[in-house]
Amino acid sequence: MIREKDWRNVVFDVFNYGFIALLSFLAAAPMLNLLAISLSDNAAVMGGYVTFLPVNLTWENYAVIFQSPAIYKAFTVSIQRTVLGIVISQFLTIITAYPLSKAARQFKGRNFFMWILVFTMLFDGGLIPFFMVIRNLGLLNTIWALIVPGVSAWSVILLMNFFKEVPQELEEAALLDGANHWQILWKIYVPLSVPALATLTLFAAVWHWNAWFDGMIFMTDPNNYPLQTYLRTVVVDLNSSNLHMDVTKIDMLSQRALRGAMIFVTTIPIMILYPFLQRYFVTGIKLGAVKG
Amino acid sequence: MSTKKISRRDFLRLAGLTGGAAALAACAPKMMETAVPATEAATEAAVATEAPALPKKAADLLKAAGVPLPGSPEAFKGWETPLPDVPAGYPLAEPITITTARPTDSEVVFLPKGDDLDNNVWTRSMAALFGVNFVNKLTWVESDEQAQKYNLAMAANDLPDILQDVPDDIFVQMVEADMLLELGPIWDQYASPKWKAAVEAAGAEAWRYTTVNGKRYGLPHVHDAGHDDAVLWVRKDWLDKLGLKAPETWQDVHDVALAFAEAKLGGPDTYGMLACNEFRKTWFGTLDPLWCSYGISVGWGSFGWSKAADGSLEYDGIKPAVKDVLAILQQWYADGVFRKDFYAIGPDQLTPDLSSGRVGLQFNPVWGANRASVSNTGADWLFLDIPIGGPAGRRKQTQSPWNNGRFCCPKTFEHAKEWIELTNWRIELEETVGTRMHGWEGINYNLKDGVYESTDADWAFWTVGPLGTRTGGNHNPTILGEMINHNITEWEKIPADQRDAFQAAQFADPVSVLRAKATAYIISMSQKEGLVDEFTGQPTPTMQEIWSDLVDQETEVCLSIIIGQKPLEAFDEYVANWKAAGGEQVVAEVNEWWKSIQ
Amino acid sequence: MNLPTLFSPQFKAYLQRNWMLYLMLLPTLVLFAIFAYYPMYGVVMAFQKFNPGLGFDGSPWVGMANFTRLLNSPTFPRVVSNTLIIAVSKLVTGQVAAIILALLFNEIRVVWFKRVAQNFLYMPHFLSWVVLGGILMEILAPMGLVGKAQEALGIEPIIFLGSNTWFRPTVIITSLWKEAGWGMIIYLAALTGIDPELYEAAAIDGANRFQRIRYIAIPGIMPIVILMACLSLGDILQGGFDQIFNLYNPTVYQTGDIIDTYVYRMGLVDAQYGIAAAAGLFKSFIGFILIVVSYRLADKYAGYKIF
């Protein structure tokens, strides 16, 4: 890209970098605060003395966490469901988005199928019937209850739009060469949509990693709880049960340092996923294809 | 000495002396008399129906099964935990399994590592002694989750055998759907005389919350009397520093609070007294003693209902006395007694104020002491009587101890008899003045050179209701108070060097001594000073329509008046609107319900 | 398509070419049939006085009573209006912020800065509102950071979460803070799809940086912008329960109470699944209409079919 040594550009750059730096710090502040809390002495935390630096540095909270077998179990379950979930949902999303990205003239019935998908984004029958389906299929307390329902119409629509951007000539050329739709999809569309796929993978991964409600409802054995569900049993959400406090729960309130460490430990793994995916967010792939 | 605090539960689950039986609470002698005929009757019945089965020695059964015994009789400064005899017919020749639904969370800790809710020393003991295996089918951490899971279990028609703390609305629905077992007659047949005496002493109140159409569908989850009741806590060291005496009237409270706020003894953000946007009754920083001293009962989120002079029920939220209290609170807020933004925060945001020492007065139940000890060295908290000064005298909000939830069973449950008999045995062991059940050595506590040290694992959390459990449970509201009182007084009499390790530990930690004393005091006062919300039925039809709207308006009006956004007269306008919007219809319906249960 | 055409030779040829497309749709359709469409019978709950023990067959029918109860409540209009205002504000500011951030990021050359900043910016997205709400309440309190800052500037500290004037702006800004960093990811992905040669050509023609952003980058991501806007319309009546629930209190009901928090409080008095189901159905219905309308509008005026 051509650089211009215009004074306006310098000003803009200074402003840009400074502004972004400020925003980044503001955004990162709660996490940094949590990190400091997790490394601090609990009494200091309870007294409100901890801001961004640990007070009375201690590793005890992390020690407690990593000594408990429950968290490793929960980690394993979460990793299982995330990996399986990503693989399955990405595959299904890809093969569903492709036909739908064809124009209605080309693919009869396309609009009908499209609206079937859209409808499900808005209407649902509630928890009880869904639970009964899972139960009747024998999926309760298995990892499949957390994975199988995981194709999101939203992702399909997004990917479909990215597919639409792929130039028609590529497909026509391939058809002339005798390729069938399967080959066209995997050899042309998918490689050209890497940024989109990376994005969707990220979204799917985050969704699976952060999901706690399904784990709570479908895993009847607490040993099978995924990470965030397990986290809830430790970090008590006091707001929703605020009507009738039990004295013993109040003791849990006093463990802010431990809770901070818990949150940190369960959030870090997913947060570092994005940097790995960042290298897929590159330009120019499409371009090369057309030229070639 | 370790800083592990001795939980109130520990202190309370204690026993008396092995020798001081004569000085025990009144119920003891009676228990002895009535117990004998029961065992005789049981033996006779056993003789009549099958081969004679004598009560077995619990210790023998446990040893035979390889399960450790509770207590530390051999250890230096240890104690013995005498176990009652296992009733005839147990352990069952063919073991049974009872499934449960109960709350659990990270405070429920197991030792040795590897144990869990279904497999720990308590469950193993129950299996060895009774042939009963407890298997947990449903757990939850908090009430929304519990409601979801109960609903799903109902929809799937797959309920565990013992359902803990079935909430009011779900209970009614279960009864409507005819899913519950009628526990009343079964309890009548098998409960021990001691248990029956305790329940009968409470009269109709005991079964009020588990009865529908005259049938008893559950066992009450009984809390100790005054469990959630508040007392006034004050920073004694601040009082001393400022040369003030302990507040006795509401005016005193106001003055002391202002003095605290001005002196800024806790830093620049010091203020007088805890309060939050739950300005009626809440679990932390409640204000109910003020309301009740004016005769206004408060529920959890709205006002309550009290008996009027003519025997009907009236809603306290529209009484003129509410204005008096609002005026007081308005004045206090303007003067700076509360924190400036108290109306924008909830009770959980108040706990840091306490632990960082920013406040000097609080109304709280027993746990006021606990919070205070966390990070505040030098803080010296004292608990006091509720101040006097309102027309109703010294009152505070209380709740019937029989109304803490209920244990229900599905119709398909076949072993209610065994459950009740098992509980009979447990009452003898855990809830008798003079027992010494403190758990298992090496599991719940350690004895090192005669010094008691509690581990994090609380055995009561592993038990299945109606006694023990993660959220408490007794067979009788006063037993806790009786046991504490007995121990505080009896053990203090023993010379310090002759106490065993557990007894010595009770007096070693000033915070738990304080809490114990507060507990005993509160229990004794709850009968005299407690004001009860009399409406404990299901929401009436009009209530279902409009009550949540009315409560929203009530809260908005009250808070606006307190913070000075609206004048006191706005209350009158609100009351008129309330009546017109259907409030009077609600009162009529509530009174219909009231008449129906007289 | 009428019956004769179905069996015409052209149709057979069409099928021969494209049968694979239908096959590709099949797995998802089956999944949706089982897990999305079959459970939809649960919407009847909105028309019943539902008792889980009695199930959908056994619970008594009340017709439209749940809806009338909801719609006739004097508070309902206020609650719907709050929901709309808050949701639309969050939507608009959220998307604009995400787009601007993505465009600004696109101009950053220093790679390590770009990476680190991105990772920082989306951190709040991973924290739940339970955690963030607690942190915010502490910060925004008069005795917290923001309060102290105001004092230092000589202003009387504003109680943001207790004031009807400030509650909504607080909700919107904190929502931005939490989500903008995450929302920009999709736009970054879209920006990478723009042909670099376009930029180069424009630069040769003398366009400066701002003109390049205006005439190339923005139009380049416009399809995605429209798509995201339309998709979000389906959620127009969501408003964000978690956030409001963890931040609100009775003094801000007037401007901050949304449909979901209102229905939640109704459920505390008397757990009526029917009401919650009716509210849900109401929201779905409105959202669906809005999506259909926006689809038509986007098609007609922007020439762009989002679906």
Side-chain angles (χ1 to χ4, degrees):
Chain A
M1 206 120 143
I2 299 174
R3 287 306 273 287
E4 293 147 14
K5 305 268 194 228
D6 193 317
W7 68 269
R8 281 191 300 181
N9 272 329
V10 175
V11 167
F12 176 79
D13 275 336
V14 167
F15 158 78
N16 201 13
Y17 280 77
F19 181 59
I20 300 279
L22 174 67
L23 284 184
S24 305
F25 179 69
L26 279 180
M31 218 31 130
L32 293 176
N33 174 245
L34 263 181
L35 181 62
I37 285 180
S38 68
L39 290 170
S40 300
D41 177 50
N42 196 44
V45 175
M46 292 305 291
Y49 301 117
V50 181
T51 46
F52 293 112
L53 288 172
V55 173
N56 294 340
L57 183 72
T58 168
W59 296 94
E60 192 189 320
N61 299 312
Y62 287 100
V64 167
I65 291 177
F66 287 115
Q67 274 165 24
S68 116
I71 198 162
Y72 295 104
K73 269 187 270 194
F75 240 105
T76 318
V77 174
S78 272
I79 293 192
Q80 262 182 336
R81 78 166 286 180
T82 304
V83 169
L84 273 176
I86 292 180
V87 167
I88 292 181
S89 76
Q90 291 303 88
F91 175 70
L92 287 174
T93 305
I94 292 174
I95 66 174
T96 310
Y98 177 68
L100 294 175
S101 66
K102 305 284 166 222
R105 291 172 281 106
Q106 249 190 307
F107 176 45
K108 303 203 193 298
R110 177 225 172 252
N111 285 338
F112 171 67
F113 292 123
M114 188 75 250
W115 284 103
I116 287 188
L117 223 65
V118 172
F119 199 74
T120 64
M121 281 192 336
L122 287 163
F123 292 93
D124 80 89
L127 180 61
I128 292 183
F130 188 73
F131 176 80
M132 294 305 289
V133 169
I134 299 274
R135 185 168 187 271
N136 292 334
L137 288 174
L139 297 179
L140 263 192
N141 213 27
T142 67
I143 198 97
W144 302 104
L146 308 179
I147 296 173
V148 160
V151 178
S152 116
W154 190 85
S155 307
V156 172
I157 293 180
L158 213 61
L159 189 59
M160 179 193 79
N161 273 284
F162 275 95
F163 278 174
K164 273 196 201 168
E165 303 275 307
V166 172
Q168 281 278 57
E169 307 89 61
L170 290 176
E171 187 185 349
E172 285 162 17
L175 282 172
L176 281 176
D177 284 347
N180 64 30
H181 279 297
W182 187 258
Q183 292 166 322
I184 297 179
L185 168 61
W186 293 99
K187 295 224 157 73
I188 301 178
Y189 278 76
V190 167
L192 288 181
S193 311
V194 168
L197 283 173
T199 309
L200 290 179
T201 302
L202 182 64
F203 288 170
V206 169
W207 186 86
H208 272 291
W209 190 261
N210 285 344
W212 59 270
F213 187 75
D214 52 358
M216 179 178 95
I217 296 288
F218 298 119
M219 295 309 205
T220 50
D221 178 2
N223 283 325
N224 288 339
Y225 276 177
L227 199 56
Q228 299 293 343
T229 310
Y230 167 70
L231 185 66
R232 273 176 74 80
T233 68
V234 178
V235 178
V236 173
D237 175 359
L238 294 159
N239 262 325
S240 55
S241 60
N242 56 8
L243 284 188
H244 225 98
M245 251 341 250
D246 174 58
V247 57
T248 42
K249 284 234 188 319
I250 293 168
D251 289 340
M252 290 172 79
L253 266 188
S254 72
Q255 309 228 31
R256 272 191 77 182
L258 182 62
R259 281 155 62 215
M262 257 307 179
I263 295 175
F264 210 72
V265 161
T266 53
T267 315
I268 285 295
I270 197 64
M271 265 173 35
I272 62 180
L273 181 62
Y274 183 51
F276 288 107
L277 292 174
Q278 270 177 337
R279 56 196 168 112
Y280 294 111
F281 285 68
V282 282
T283 67
I285 298 186
K286 253 199 239 167
L287 202 48
V290 176
K291 284 227 180 101
Chain B
M1 167 103 179
S2 105
T3 51
K4 301 231 155 77
K5 38 186 192 324
I6 295 166
S7 73
R8 169 179 168 203
R9 206 168 296 278
D10 277 336
F11 191 89
L12 304 181
R13 235 176 303 105
L14 355 138
L17 304 170
T18 44
L24 283 185
C27 68
K30 240 197 285 175
M31 164 189 86
M32 301 294 281
E33 288 163 22
T34 47
V36 171
T39 2
E40 277 183 358
T43 335
E44 278 177 26
V47 166
T49 52
E50 51 196 10
L54 295 163
K56 302 225 180 62
K57 288 283 164 212
D60 297 334
L61 288 169
L62 289 175
K63 282 194 197 125
V67 179
L69 272 68
S72 307
E74 318 281 316
F76 173 56
K77 286 208 186 286
W79 61 90
E80 192 197 338
T81 305
L83 299 170
D85 288 338
V86 171
Y90 293 102
L92 296 171
E94 273 178 44
I96 60 172
T97 303
I98 298 184
T99 56
T100 62
R102 43 191 163 138
T104 185
D105 52 43
S106 62
E107 293 282 297
V108 182
V109 176
F110 297 96
L111 278 175
K113 292 230 188 284
D115 276 1
D116 57 37
L117 263 184
D118 292 340
N119 184 19
N120 52 69
V121 67
W122 187 85
T123 55
R124 292 192 284 270
S125 303
M126 291 295 117
L129 296 172
F130 291 92
V132 173
N133 292 310
F134 287 106
V135 171
N136 203 57
K137 246 173 106 170
L138 210 73
T139 60
W140 62 86
V141 175
E142 30 102 47
S143 57
D144 279 352
E145 184 186 344
Q146 174 194 21
Q148 295 270 23
K149 292 189 170 174
Y150 271 167
N151 285 330
L152 292 173
M154 274 170 84
N157 202 16
D158 185 14
L159 295 170
D161 294 324
I162 299 181
L163 302 166
Q164 178 165 345
D165 287 338
V166 182
D168 292 344
D169 42 16
I170 294 186
F171 175 63
V172 162
Q173 287 185 328
M174 282 182 175
V175 171
E176 247 174 43
D178 199 23
M179 298 179 98
L180 295 182
L181 181 63
E182 214 191 314
L183 275 170
I186 305 182
W187 183 89
D188 288 338
Q189 206 181 347
Y190 298 109
S192 68
K194 178 172 175 178
W195 195 356
K196 284 200 174 146
V199 169
E200 266 146 40
E205 182 71 6
W207 296 102
R208 191 164 138 189
Y209 310 97
T210 55
T211 307
V212 178
N213 289 334
K215 301 199 185 148
R216 290 166 290 166
Y217 286 104
L219 296 185
H221 184 170
V222 183
H223 246 164
D224 38 297
H227 177 85
D228 288 329
D229 289 8
V231 282
L232 178 63
W233 295 88
V234 69
R235 280 287 293 263
K236 183 151 192 323
D237 49 320
W238 287 5
L239 281 180
D240 292 340
K241 260 199 213 135
L242 299 176
L244 301 166
K245 62 177 184 55
E248 279 174 22
T249 65
W250 290 111
Q251 188 57 43
D252 286 346
V253 170
H254 168 264
D255 298 337
V256 168
L258 281 184
F260 283 169
E262 274 172 36
K264 301 235 176 282
L265 291 170
D269 297 315
T270 311
Y271 62 95
M273 191 164 111
L274 285 187
C276 66
N277 66 28
E278 293 181 16
F279 59 93
R280 292 174 279 238
K281 169 98 185 148
T282 182
W283 59 271
F284 203 78
T286 180
L287 290 176
D288 64 268
L290 180 56
W291 292 101
C292 292
S293 68
Y294 279 79
I296 311 279
S297 87
V298 284
W300 293 79
S302 67
F303 292 103
W305 297 73
S306 338
K307 281 190 268 236
D310 63 358
S312 68
L313 277 190
E314 46 182 10
Y315 183 58
D316 290 342
I318 51 172
K319 282 190 181 147
V322 174
K323 262 172 85 171
D324 297 336
V325 179
L326 286 177
I328 295 178
L329 288 173
Q330 195 181 51
Q331 183 64 46
W332 285 16
Y333 175 70
D335 289 345
V337 168
F338 307 126
R339 53 186 273 183
K340 246 183 294 185
D341 61 339
F342 85 95
Y343 57 93
I345 59 172
D348 21 333
Q349 274 80 40
L350 286 181
T351 53
D353 287 348
L354 190 55
S355 35
S356 59
R358 286 196 275 262
V359 75
L361 283 166
Q362 43 156 337
F363 281 108
N364 261 325
V366 176
W367 46 83
N370 191 37
R371 293 294 88 243
S373 70
V374 171
S375 61
N376 250 331
T377 48
D380 185 10
W381 286 88
L382 180 67
F383 70 89
L384 300 171
D385 275 338
I386 309 276
I388 52 178
R394 168 177 288 152
R395 311 297 305 271
K396 64 192 159 150
Q397 193 64 28
T398 192
Q399 172 189 299
S400 165
W402 302 92
N403 189 17
N404 190 44
R406 49 188 76 74
F407 288 88
C408 299
C409 308
K411 259 191 160 156
T412 50
F413 186 39
E414 294 166 338
H415 302 297
K417 163 179 183 284
E418 284 80 359
W419 177 41
I420 293 180
E421 292 186 331
L422 192 151
T423 310
N424 291 338
W425 183 86
R426 286 182 59 200
I427 293 178
E428 290 302 319
L429 174 64
E430 301 166 30
E431 300 201 348
T432 308
V433 176
T435 72
R436 295 225 54 188
M437 174 61 177
H438 312 313
W440 285 260
E441 183 177 356
I443 294 178
N444 307 113
Y445 65 88
N446 286 312
L447 265 189
K448 281 198 196 116
D449 302 321
V451 173
Y452 169 96
E453 190 189 309
S454 164
T455 65
D456 276 330
D458 189 334
W459 64 271
F461 291 175
W462 309 337
T463 62
V464 170
L467 309 181
T469 84
R470 174 70 179 92
T471 53
N474 307 107
H475 76 282
N476 166 358
T478 52
I479 190 66
L480 217 53
E482 286 162 26
M483 295 198 303
I484 297 179
N485 263 329
H486 170 265
N487 295 325
I488 293 178
T489 46
E490 289 308 312
W491 291 359
E492 222 161 8
K493 289 185 200 155
I494 315 174
D497 52 345
Q498 286 175 22
R499 295 176 189 152
D500 62 49
F502 190 82
Q503 294 163 336
Q506 304 314 304
F507 296 98
D509 181 4
V511 170
S512 47
V513 175
L514 183 63
R515 289 179 77 185
K517 292 197 168 143
T519 309
Y521 172 74
I522 291 173
I523 292 180
S524 65
M525 286 294 116
S526 81
Q527 301 287 49
K528 290 194 275 174
E529 294 177 352
L531 193 63
V532 177
D533 176 3
E534 298 284 355
F535 180 57
T536 51
Q538 289 301 298
T540 68
T542 313
M543 275 177 117
Q544 288 173 20
E545 294 273 316
I546 62 172
W547 193 246
S548 82
D549 283 324
L550 288 182
V551 167
D552 280 350
Q553 285 165 29
E554 175 186 284
T555 312
E556 287 179 61
V557 149
C558 289
L559 274 177
S560 320
I561 294 180
I562 294 177
I563 59 179
Q565 260 177 23
K566 289 206 176 115
L568 215 48
E569 291 67 42
F571 186 72
D572 301 317
E573 198 189 310
Y574 153 75
V575 172
N577 285 338
W578 188 93
K579 291 186 176 159
E584 293 195 322
Q585 176 64 18
V586 173
V587 174
E589 288 174 1
V590 168
N591 274 300
E592 269 174 46
W593 167 86
W594 182 240
K595 279 198 209 90
S596 77
I597 64 162
Q598 293 306 317
Chain C
M1 255 193 308
N2 45 28
L3 227 38
T5 58
L6 267 177
F7 296 102
S8 65
Q10 296 110 309
F11 192 70
K12 288 219 188 93
Y14 163 80
L15 269 186
Q16 240 184 339
R17 270 201 321 271
N18 293 318
W19 63 273
M20 191 164 274
L21 293 178
Y22 292 94
L23 189 63
M24 289 205 251
L25 277 184
L26 195 60
T28 305
L29 286 178
V30 169
L31 268 181
F32 272 32
I34 301 178
F35 292 105
Y37 276 94
Y38 176 68
M40 273 194 204
Y41 70 81
V43 295
V44 302
M45 194 161 40
F47 303 96
Q48 293 178 318
K49 186 168 170 18
F50 187 67
N51 176 340
L54 296 171
F56 293 101
D57 326 327
S59 295
W61 292 87
V62 294
M64 297 297 287
N66 289 325
F67 288 95
T68 50
R69 155 110 190 267
L70 204 58
L71 297 168
N72 285 342
S73 151
T75 339
F76 196 66
R78 169 176 99 176
V79 149
V80 173
S81 121
N82 285 344
T83 310
L84 278 174
I85 295 177
I86 291 179
V88 170
S89 309
K90 284 209 282 192
L91 196 130
V92 171
T93 56
Q95 293 307 317
V96 167
I99 295 172
I100 293 181
L101 271 180
L103 291 171
L104 285 179
F105 255 84
N106 209 29
E107 300 296 318
I108 293 198
R109 303 283 145 239
V110 181
V111 176
W112 70 263
F113 184 86
K114 203 169 178 174
R115 293 232 171 140
V116 169
Q118 269 178 345
N119 287 303
F120 275 26
L121 272 173
Y122 66 51
M123 275 185 183
H125 171 81
F126 293 95
L127 295 173
S128 73
W129 274 114
V130 176
V131 173
L132 277 182
I135 294 179
L136 277 174
M137 290 179 102
E138 268 183 48
I139 296 181
L140 294 173
M143 61 175 79
L145 269 178
V146 170
K148 292 277 155 81
Q150 290 173 77
E151 270 175 29
L153 292 173
I155 334 171
E156 179 71 20
I158 305 174
I159 302 177
F160 294 96
L161 295 175
S163 145
N164 271 313
T165 341
W166 289 99
F167 186 72
R168 274 193 211 143
T170 309
V171 164
I172 293 166
I173 294 181
T174 51
S175 172
L176 269 182
W177 172 52
K178 183 176 195 280
E179 299 294 345
W182 184 255
M184 83 171 171
I185 292 183
I186 191 115
Y187 292 113
L188 279 179
L191 279 171
T192 60
I194 297 180
D195 187 346
E197 283 196 356
L198 287 174
Y199 287 112
E200 285 170 19
I204 291 175
D205 284 349
N208 67 27
R209 171 187 264 175
F210 306 103
Q211 288 168 323
R212 288 199 297 266
I213 293 180
R214 196 167 150 212
Y215 294 110
I216 298 175
I218 294 186
I221 58 175
M222 201 42 84
I224 298 295
V225 173
I226 297 181
L227 173 69
M228 297 297 288
C230 291
L231 283 181
S232 316
L233 276 179
D235 286 341
I236 203 77
L237 287 179
Q238 290 300 356
F241 176 79
D242 280 334
Q243 180 186 19
I244 306 272
F245 186 68
N246 281 292
L247 289 178
Y248 85 158
N249 61 76
T251 56
V252 295
Y253 281 173
Q254 201 189 327
T255 53
D257 196 18
I258 59 174
I259 297 179
D260 287 337
T261 48
Y262 179 61
V263 170
Y264 178 81
R265 289 200 308 278
M266 276 207 282
L268 292 179
V269 168
D270 183 33
Q272 295 190 71
Y273 315 102
I275 297 280
L281 205 54
F282 175 75
K283 287 194 294 180
S284 297
F285 191 62
I286 304 280
F288 187 66
I289 293 187
L290 282 176
I291 284 204
V292 172
V293 165
S294 67
Y295 174 78
R296 295 268 159 85
L297 287 178
D299 189 15
K300 197 162 170 206
Y301 292 107
Y304 182 68
K305 287 195 192 314
I306 27 180
F307 300 141

